[in-house]
Amino acid sequence: MPNVREVTIGLLRELGMTTVFGNPGSTELPMFRDFPADFRYVMGLQESVVLGMADGYAQGTKRAAIVNLHSSAGVGHALGNVFSAFKNQTPLVVTAGQQARSILPYEPFLFAERAAEFPRPFVKWSCEPARAEDVPAALHRAWLVAMEPPCGPTFVSIPIDDWDRDCEPFRMRTVHAIRAPDADAIAACGVALSKSKNPLIVVGAGVARDNAWDHVIALAERHNALVKVAPMSARCSFPEDHPLFAGFLTAGREAIVAALAPHDFVLALGGPMSLYHVEGHGPHVPAGCDVWLIGDNHVHAAWAPAGTAIVAQCDMAIELLLQGPPPTARPQHAPRQPLPPLDGAAMTDAYVLQQIAALRSPESIIVEEAPSSRGPMHDRLPIVRKDTFYTTASGGLGHGLPAAVGMAMARPNDKVIAVLGDGSAMYAIQGLHAAVQHKLPVSFVIIKNNRYEALHHFGQHFGMQELVGTKFPELDFCLLAQGHGLTARRATDAASLDEALRWSFAATGPTLVEAVVL
């Protein structure tokens, strides 16, 4: 009879999860006895980095990735990026080791107490199997739940002595989920859209997850509807050089209402529209504005403060909307005027982002975690191709650098550019090592302003003129890169910036550019 490890390896192979991301400890090692040659183990030097790499890989492959962590300590280190994966709706199967069942009554060293509860509420499902022979079934259920929309991470705790126990062969099951929208609800939405005088489409990350980029373009062009991006959207869902592109919504109640005010109909696709970062007051939508929301996440539908919600895949819903009644005649919109180019006399984050846009290939992939530079990025670094922009939906730091590594593994033929703030980069700097180990052509561009700029911005919001402990001019990212095995260059002015970016974007291995800004 085979053992649990052999049956599990066969299951993972059938599921296509032959790349394992992890940072193992003693309680995980038996999983890797006789590790098969067709599998790949990707080591991360810290567990949050492991989660971030797996997140980027899963988003790039559009399939659940498997993560292997060490008992409670490893899960605890990784929880910040488990939270990010949950908000990103990234399918992950997270496993963690547990001490041997025979000594669990004695609270042994490095055991996990109430292991299945620890990562909640930021996993969709979690368990510690009741018997060793239930491990393959638990992992298969975890995969099914992770891949079921809305996708997200799941968790399985596995005792150390389970792997060598006898186990009956396991047969995978197939689950067919109904994801089609309610036809009557879509028909009602289509009628309201066709009759509106000045419709607006708001796109969120779900448009990208549902591969509905082209669908949204067709819908916007059919109805001559302007398109804005939802607040804090973590993916690209509409070409930012399109004549109907109208910019980005701000994550504040009053700002959203003001942006929606000219429109009598709003269709929010693929994510929350009323997402707030600061306290606000007043209505959530303008008076007389008919709001409809379509996306695969029933939780978003439930907490939305206004509008009629339809839980459905965006691509399927838009296909039905495109078959709806023709629109009324509407005046043409004047396209947004580009900002005048910056001359580089001042080395600002806006100038760095402008030059990244000018020197990169439009097909290259931007993985971003530079929160205080998000506004200049919207202005100066347009995203014009589908599936070429990724950031964290959680707002937590430490996701972007390792996610870029995982993305490069998932899409080895594409150039990946990680645009990172200096503070963000330090949360996961160990991820550079994995990029070197696997010879990944990632360009890490660190926007170095020597401080937590986002905190200084919010300090002003709260009337605080001075913040403690938020400046760190001593950091040297070129030396940090070299310590991890990367080559790096520092840019302090326009000339050195262009030279460094051209060098990095042309490289076939990992490189780092430290762009020092005002």
Side-chain angles (χ1 to χ4, degrees):
M1 183 179 292
N3 59 33
V4 169
R5 178 177 51 258
E6 293 163 344
V7 173
T8 297
I9 290 295
L11 171 65
L12 296 179
R13 187 179 285 117
E14 283 192 81
L15 293 172
M17 291 198 294
T18 57
T19 296
V20 182
F21 295 86
N23 184 313
S26 55
T27 53
E28 292 73 45
L29 287 180
M31 177 184 178
F32 304 110
R33 182 179 289 124
D34 302 322
F35 199 61
D38 60 323
F39 276 56
R40 172 174 60 169
Y41 193 89
V42 180
M43 171 71 80
L45 298 185
Q46 206 267 2
E47 288 88 344
S48 66
V49 172
V50 168
L51 249 293
M53 290 193 297
D55 189 323
Y57 184 80
Q59 290 197 60
T61 60
K62 303 183 188 299
R63 299 276 293 179
I66 186 165
V67 182
N68 180 244
L69 303 176
H70 180 42
S71 192
S72 286
V75 175
H77 286 158
L79 277 178
N81 272 336
V82 172
F83 170 61
S84 290
F86 183 77
K87 289 295 186 180
N88 291 343
Q89 293 185 210
T90 302
L92 296 176
V93 176
V94 181
T95 65
Q98 172 65 294
Q99 273 288 10
R101 292 177 185 268
S102 63
I103 57 174
L104 286 179
Y106 313 114
E107 297 199 7
F109 186 66
L110 283 176
F111 94 117
E113 183 175 357
R114 294 187 291 182
E117 297 178 33
F118 191 25
R120 291 183 181 273
F122 299 119
V123 292
K124 293 179 65 181
W125 179 77
S126 66
C127 83
E128 185 173 276
R131 306 177 304 164
E133 54 265 43
D134 296 331
V135 168
L139 289 170
H140 186 231
R141 180 176 175 183
W143 185 87
L144 289 170
V145 174
M147 289 293 291
E148 178 186 8
C151 296
T154 55
F155 177 80
V156 181
S157 171
I158 305 172
I160 188 174
D161 52 342
D162 282 6
W163 295 107
D164 294 314
R165 299 289 177 86
D166 290 346
C167 184
E168 294 284 348
F170 180 80
R171 296 187 63 182
M172 283 178 50
R173 296 168 48 246
T174 300
V175 176
H176 297 281
I178 299 175
R179 303 176 184 177
D182 182 284
D184 292 339
I186 291 292
C189 179
V191 169
L193 172 58
S194 68
K195 291 181 177 179
S196 63
K197 296 178 180 178
N198 187 16
L200 175 70
I201 298 173
V202 177
V203 292
V207 169
R209 288 193 298 268
D210 294 344
N211 198 29
W213 171 281
D214 295 323
H215 299 73
V216 173
I217 295 172
L219 187 68
E221 291 177 349
R222 182 171 192 250
H223 288 273
N224 190 28
L226 293 176
V227 178
K228 287 182 177 287
V229 177
M232 305 295 185
S233 180
R235 298 284 297 276
C236 54
S237 300
F238 193 79
E240 295 171 22
D241 59 350
H242 193 284
L244 290 171
F245 180 68
F248 301 81
L249 291 181
T250 301
R253 187 189 301 194
E254 293 89 346
I256 290 173
V257 171
L260 304 185
H263 304 278
D264 61 335
F265 177 94
V266 174
L267 175 61
L269 296 167
M273 179 184 73
S274 300
L275 185 64
Y276 308 138
H277 194 190
V278 294
E279 184 181 16
H281 304 280
H284 295 279
V285 297
C289 183
D290 188 15
V291 175
W292 291 72
L293 310 124
I294 299 176
D296 68 0
N297 195 323
H298 60 278
V299 176
H300 294 168
W303 67 249
T308 301
I310 302 172
V311 179
Q313 299 276 118
C314 287
D315 54 343
M316 296 181 182
I318 298 173
E319 285 175 1
L320 292 179
L321 287 173
L322 288 168
Q323 300 169 23
T328 58
R330 301 182 181 116
Q332 293 297 311
H333 299 285
R336 297 174 83 209
Q337 294 302 310
L339 294 172
L342 301 171
D343 61 9
M347 186 73 166
T348 62
D349 57 351
Y351 182 74
V352 172
L353 293 160
Q354 172 187 282
Q355 295 311 104
I356 292 174
L359 298 175
R360 78 177 183 111
S361 165
E363 287 78 23
S364 58
I365 300 167
I366 299 292
V367 179
E368 177 265 338
E369 191 181 296
S372 61
S373 297
R374 184 69 61 83
M377 186 193 71
H378 290 163
D379 294 336
R380 302 288 175 176
L381 179 53
I383 307 298
V384 297
R385 301 285 189 274
K386 67 179 179 181
D387 294 330
T388 59
F389 176 76
Y390 299 82
T391 189
T392 174
S394 73
L397 300 181
H399 171 268
L401 192 155
V405 175
M407 184 63 65
M409 291 180 177
R411 293 168 63 173
N413 296 323
D414 297 318
K415 183 67 174 181
V416 175
I417 303 170
V419 179
L420 308 167
D422 46 3
S424 296
M426 287 305 298
Y427 273 73
I429 199 70
Q430 304 96 324
L432 296 176
H433 182 257
V436 172
Q437 275 203 323
H438 296 274
K439 301 178 175 64
L440 302 172
V442 181
S443 294
F444 298 97
V445 181
I446 311 294
I447 300 176
K448 184 183 177 184
N449 56 21
N450 297 317
R451 60 190 177 273
Y452 276 127
E453 183 61 34
L455 290 183
H456 283 259
H457 173 78
F458 271 96
Q460 294 172 7
H461 174 78
F462 294 119
M464 301 167 64
Q465 300 304 315
E466 194 66 34
L467 297 177
V468 297
T470 58
K471 297 179 181 180
F472 34 85
E474 304 84 2
L475 291 176
D476 188 322
F477 286 93
C478 291
L479 289 178
L480 285 167
Q482 292 165 18
H484 287 85
L486 276 78
T487 53
R489 294 188 183 182
R490 179 175 292 109
T492 57
D493 55 26
S496 59
L497 175 67
D498 283 3
E499 181 181 355
L501 291 177
R502 287 193 178 97
W503 160 77
S504 180
F505 295 168
T508 58
T511 56
L512 184 143
V513 174
E514 181 186 79
V516 183
V517 301
L518 300 175

